[in-house]
């Protein structure tokens, strides 16, 4: 017979919690042992938690980083933050982030969550490729999301797409175009070619986008090697830009700057990226703090993969200010 009386009393809740937390019994086992229902056992556990009768303490050197990740996740208004431990005596803002990115990509492919993956470029993604195991995913396609530069670096958009494909055992599609058109070239006419129409259609079907972000300094590959000669970094900064995502320069609120350079950029529109089901931004370094914030405000991040040095800089003293995703009207403004 089911026990009647004061099932919800403190004594009952204490007994339930002792068996659950100390003796390691399941809720079903406790219900049978105490001749009650599993529902009442669950309610007693919840009541004990609400009254502060149960306190969980985790002793681990990793707790501080978990707390940091959760605090930053709430401040940026995104789904997940991974803050990889960085080596502080010889700081490298690519290596640890690349390793964490490789782990995430491997896991998502293991669960068959992705079929079409859009990729950006950069040294962080190259570091991720170097940490990937050799896999076989013949049903997966890697899609380059922006044009390339004439510089043949290993982290150019062409090399990144083919590098991911080689390690993942996947196919790949390249956006065989420069990231910036020459002056006087009609962008709409250029993109009206059938080869580009097919590639741009793939952007709308992406399951995930793997992105990076850069500031406006010589540390940025795009700024150092990709800008047309007629556009200086100073001029882009004067237009309000603090950095770029996918070659699109953003202001501190995440809006695309109104500048002739943007109208010559070949790559996926950021509005399309926002609609991609899973957006992963892999970026670290003190110089990238502001562009990471801007990308979050724009709605370009679901998961941020960074390092603990950058996460500490990103966390603000007050959690009262919440990052907001811009509306299309605000971005246009």
């Amino acid at each position: 017979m089911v026990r009647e009386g004061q099932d919800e009393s403190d004594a009952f809740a204490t007994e339930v919690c002792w068996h659950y937390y100390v003796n390691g019994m399941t809720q079903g086992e406790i219900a049978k042992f105490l001749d009650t229902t599993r529902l009442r056992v669950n309610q007693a556990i919840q009541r004990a938690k609400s009254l502060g009768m149960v306190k969980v303490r985790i002793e681990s050197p990793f707790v501080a980083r978990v707390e940091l990740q959760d605090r930053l996740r709430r401040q940026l208004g995104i789904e997940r933050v991974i803050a990889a431990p960085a080596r502080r005596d010889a700081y490298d803002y690519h290596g640890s982030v690349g390793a964490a990115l490789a782990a995430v990509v491997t896991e998502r492919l293991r669960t068959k969550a992705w079929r079409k993956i859009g990729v950006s470029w950069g040294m962080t993604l190259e570091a991720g490729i170097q940490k990937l195991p050799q896999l076989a995913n013949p049903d997966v396609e890697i899609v380059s999301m922006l044009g390339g530069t004439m510089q043949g670096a290993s982290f150019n958009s062409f090399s990144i797409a083919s590098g991911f494909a080689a390690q993942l055992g996947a196919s790949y599609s390249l956006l065989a175009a420069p990231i910036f058109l020459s002056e006087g070239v009609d962008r709409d006419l250029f993109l009206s070619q059938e080869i580009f129409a097919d590639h741009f259609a793939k952007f709308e079907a992406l399951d995930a986008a793997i992105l990076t972000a850069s500031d406006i300094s010589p540390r940025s590959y795009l700024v150092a090697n990709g800008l047309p000669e007629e556009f200086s970094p100073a001029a882009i900064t004067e237009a309000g830009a603090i950095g770029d995502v996918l070659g699109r320069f953003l202001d501190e609120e995440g809006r695309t700057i109104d500048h002739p350079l943007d109208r010559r950029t070949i790559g996926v529109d950021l509005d399309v990226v926002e609609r991609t089901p899973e957006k992963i931004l892999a970026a670290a370094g003190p110089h990238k703090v502001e562009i990471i914030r801007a990308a979050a405000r724009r709605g370009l991040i679901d998961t941020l993969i960074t390092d603990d040095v950058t996460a500490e800089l990103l966390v603000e003293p007050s959690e009262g200010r919440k990052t907001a995703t811009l509306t299309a009207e605000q971005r246009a403004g």
Side-chain angles (χ1 to χ4, degrees):
M1 182 177 72
V2 174
R3 178 184 293 183
E4 301 293 334
Q6 301 299 316
D7 282 358
E8 300 304 321
S9 67
D10 288 353
F12 179 75
T14 300
E15 186 175 4
V16 166
C17 288
W18 184 267
H19 290 309
Y20 188 67
Y21 290 104
V22 178
N23 292 338
M25 295 171 66
T26 67
Q27 293 184 26
E29 290 170 339
I30 297 169
K32 184 177 181 179
F33 181 72
L34 297 179
D35 192 21
T36 187
T37 65
R38 184 170 178 171
L39 174 62
R40 286 175 175 170
V41 169
N42 181 268
Q43 290 172 337
I45 292 172
Q46 299 307 317
R47 181 171 181 271
K49 288 180 179 179
S50 67
L51 293 175
M53 295 168 62
V54 176
K55 295 180 174 63
V56 178
R57 181 171 179 170
I58 302 173
E59 296 288 351
S60 168
F62 302 107
V63 168
R65 192 164 80 249
V66 172
E67 291 176 342
L68 175 65
Q69 290 173 162
D70 187 61
R71 185 178 177 190
L72 181 56
R73 176 189 63 79
R74 286 184 275 113
Q75 285 189 358
L76 294 179
I78 62 179
E79 295 178 7
R80 186 184 183 193
V81 171
I82 299 172
R87 180 177 174 180
R88 300 186 181 228
D89 61 339
Y91 184 54
D92 167 21
Y93 48 85
H94 301 302
S96 60
V97 177
L101 173 62
V104 169
V105 171
T106 302
E107 175 61 20
R108 298 302 280 152
L109 289 176
R110 185 189 67 80
T111 60
K112 307 297 184 183
W114 298 343
R115 285 292 181 269
K116 285 191 184 296
I117 307 170
V119 295
S120 181
W121 65 3
M123 295 179 68
T124 302
L125 297 198
E126 182 187 30
I129 292 170
Q130 293 171 353
K131 295 295 184 179
L132 283 170
Q134 184 65 60
L135 301 174
N137 294 277
D139 296 331
V140 172
E141 182 179 16
I142 307 298
V143 180
S144 65
M145 302 178 73
L146 72 169
T149 69
M150 298 304 294
Q151 301 285 339
S154 60
F155 44 84
N156 199 334
S157 60
F158 308 134
S159 299
I160 291 298
S162 61
F164 267 110
Q167 286 303 114
L168 299 178
S171 62
Y172 65 96
S173 297
L174 296 177
L175 180 51
I179 186 170
F180 298 122
L181 290 175
S182 299
E183 187 175 8
V185 176
D186 186 299
R187 184 177 184 273
D188 292 337
L189 182 61
F190 181 84
L191 293 178
S192 66
Q193 300 175 71
E194 184 177 350
I195 185 175
F196 296 127
D198 292 343
H199 193 91
F200 272 63
K202 293 180 180 181
F203 295 152
E204 299 282 358
L206 295 176
D207 298 304
I210 300 177
L211 312 172
T212 56
S214 298
D215 68 339
I216 304 175
S217 77
R219 285 170 294 202
S220 164
Y221 173 72
L222 179 63
V223 169
N225 300 286
L227 288 181
E229 293 181 357
E230 60 269 29
F231 296 116
S232 68
I236 297 171
T237 302
E238 289 172 5
I242 61 167
D244 83 281
V245 176
L246 290 166
R248 306 285 184 172
F249 288 91
L250 307 180
D251 67 14
E252 64 180 6
E253 295 301 323
R255 294 176 293 227
T256 304
I257 63 167
D258 183 13
H259 192 276
L261 184 61
D262 186 64
R263 294 183 282 277
R264 289 167 53 176
T265 304
I266 300 297
V268 62
D269 288 336
L270 294 186
D271 291 348
V272 175
V273 177
E274 290 177 59
R275 297 194 296 270
T276 302
E278 193 164 354
K279 299 171 286 293
I280 297 174
L281 181 74
H287 57 297
K288 296 188 179 183
V289 166
E290 292 307 318
I291 187 60
I292 291 172
R293 287 199 182 111
R297 293 179 184 128
R298 179 64 184 263
L300 299 176
I301 309 175
D302 295 317
T303 295
L304 171 64
I305 301 178
T306 188
D307 61 29
D308 50 3
V309 172
T310 310
E312 290 166 6
L313 294 172
L314 280 162
V315 169
E316 299 168 351
S318 171
E319 294 193 15
R321 176 168 162 256
K322 186 176 181 180
T323 299
T325 300
L326 296 176
T327 65
E329 182 178 346
Q330 287 173 314
R331 288 193 298 270

